[in-house]
């Protein structure tokens, strides 16, 4: 593994694989969150299942966290190593003419997304971990002593989106996510050698994904802000 990561091609390939993994998670996360718009009860049921199912909690969740850390660390490593090559290239060519704004600013959109991940953890993940593993309440109920009190997941989601400043931060973060994905999706496919007769179709799908998923998350945040 260390030998693969020591080569430029190996690092890009590993970066692409982690990107695919995170994009799959993002789609799964969106699929659950959008349920909150249509059915609070179903959203509560699905959230409670995901929050208590051992495979998710003790296997997939640690893998996800490692994937996030690996992706961002590898992104910074690639940026540092490629920066020297860019300096030489820019001396010979106009860098802005040979690359898109998004490709030249992936590190900044990545930092904005990383800051958002921190906020999202603070809003949802840390309180959930505290409730389940420190307080010891795995019930998922609003009142753990009342089985009829209902699940708290939808209530917590709406509560977080009552503040306009938080909604604005979420919207800005998802705009940066869209910009990051517009370049990152195609770059990941190129890194794994997916330049073939399906390239045009993949580019079309990547644009739909890169714009559609962030817009969907923005819709969810605005929906709960205006309907709390």
């Amino acid at each position: 593994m260390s030998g693969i990561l020591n080569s430029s091609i190996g690092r890009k390939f590993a970066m692409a694989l982690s990107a695919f993994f995170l994009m799959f998670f993002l789609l799964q996360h969106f699929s659950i969150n959008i349920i909150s718009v249509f059915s609070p009860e179903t959203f509560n049921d699905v959230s409670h299942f995901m929050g208590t199912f051992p495979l998710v909690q003790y296997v997939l969740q640690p893998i996800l966290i490692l994937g996030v850390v690996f992706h961002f660390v590898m992104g910074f490593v690639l940026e540092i190593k490629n920066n020297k090559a860019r300096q030489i290239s820019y001396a010979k060519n106009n860098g802005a003419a040979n690359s898109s704004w998004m490709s030249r600013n992936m590190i900044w959109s990545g930092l904005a997304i990383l800051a958002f991940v921190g906020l999202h953890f603070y809003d949802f993940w840390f309180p959930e971990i505290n409730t389940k593993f420190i307080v010891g309440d795995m019930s998922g109920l609003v009142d753990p002593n009342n089985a009829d009190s209902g699940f708290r997941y939808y209530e917590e989601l709406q509560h977080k989106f009552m503040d306009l400043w938080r909604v604005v931060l979420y919207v800005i973060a998802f705009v940066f996510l869209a910009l990051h994905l517009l370049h990152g999706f195609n770059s990941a496919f190129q890194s794994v050698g997916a330049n073939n007769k399906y390239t045009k179709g993949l580019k079309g799908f990547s644009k739909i994904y890169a714009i559609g998923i962030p817009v969907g998350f923005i819709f969810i945040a605005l929906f709960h802000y205006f309907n709390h």
Side-chain angles (χ1 to χ4, degrees):
M1 183 65 178
S2 60
I4 295 175
L5 296 181
N6 283 333
S7 70
S8 176
I9 295 176
R11 285 190 294 268
K12 290 180 179 179
F13 189 83
M15 183 72 170
L17 292 181
S18 67
F20 288 135
F21 171 71
L22 294 178
M23 284 187 284
F24 176 79
F25 163 75
L26 197 62
L27 179 61
Q28 176 262 332
H29 196 49
F30 171 74
S31 300
I32 293 175
N33 283 6
I34 194 65
I35 296 173
S36 68
V37 172
F38 304 103
S39 174
E41 295 79 12
T42 304
F43 174 74
N44 278 329
D45 290 340
V46 174
S47 297
H48 183 62
F49 171 78
M50 296 294 290
T52 56
F53 189 53
L55 178 63
V56 174
Q57 288 298 294
Y58 304 115
V59 179
L60 298 182
Q61 187 168 250
I63 291 175
L64 172 62
I65 294 173
L66 288 174
V68 170
V69 172
F70 177 86
H71 186 75
F72 281 103
V73 170
M74 186 56 61
F76 293 133
V77 170
L78 287 173
E79 181 68 17
I80 292 170
K81 289 187 175 293
N82 291 339
N83 199 38
K84 295 179 181 179
R86 287 198 190 103
Q87 292 174 358
I88 297 173
S89 177
Y90 287 179
K92 298 178 180 179
N93 307 291
N94 181 354
N98 297 326
S99 61
S100 67
W101 181 92
M102 289 175 289
S103 65
R104 297 193 307 275
N105 291 277
M106 287 292 281
I107 189 68
W108 299 111
S109 60
L111 284 170
I113 295 168
L114 185 60
F116 165 71
V117 170
L119 173 63
H120 195 60
F121 270 36
Y122 174 81
D123 279 346
F124 296 101
W125 193 73
F126 290 142
E128 185 71 9
I129 293 299
N130 178 69
T131 299
K132 290 189 298 189
F133 299 110
I134 297 179
V135 176
D137 174 20
M138 296 289 288
S139 69
L141 299 174
V142 174
D143 179 1
N145 298 314
N146 181 4
D148 297 322
S149 64
F151 289 126
R152 55 183 160 76
Y153 305 104
Y154 184 81
E155 182 180 274
E156 290 176 346
L157 183 64
Q158 283 213 314
H159 176 72
K160 290 300 181 183
F161 289 123
M162 289 177 63
D163 299 323
L164 179 60
W165 68 267
R166 180 178 273 106
V167 174
V168 170
L169 286 179
Y170 269 66
V171 170
I172 293 173
F174 284 120
V175 170
F176 274 107
L177 177 62
L179 294 174
H180 197 79
L181 288 172
L182 279 169
H183 174 72
F185 205 117
N186 286 329
S187 178
F189 276 112
Q190 290 176 3
S191 296
V192 297
N195 289 325
N196 49 43
K197 63 180 181 180
Y198 302 110
T199 299
K200 185 175 181 181
L202 289 174
K203 287 183 177 180
F205 174 73
S206 69
K207 288 181 179 179
I208 294 173
Y209 181 97
I211 296 174
I213 296 298
V215 167
F217 276 113
I218 290 173
F219 170 74
I220 293 170
L222 293 176
F223 175 87
H224 290 294
Y225 175 73
F226 287 112
N227 289 276
H228 63 261

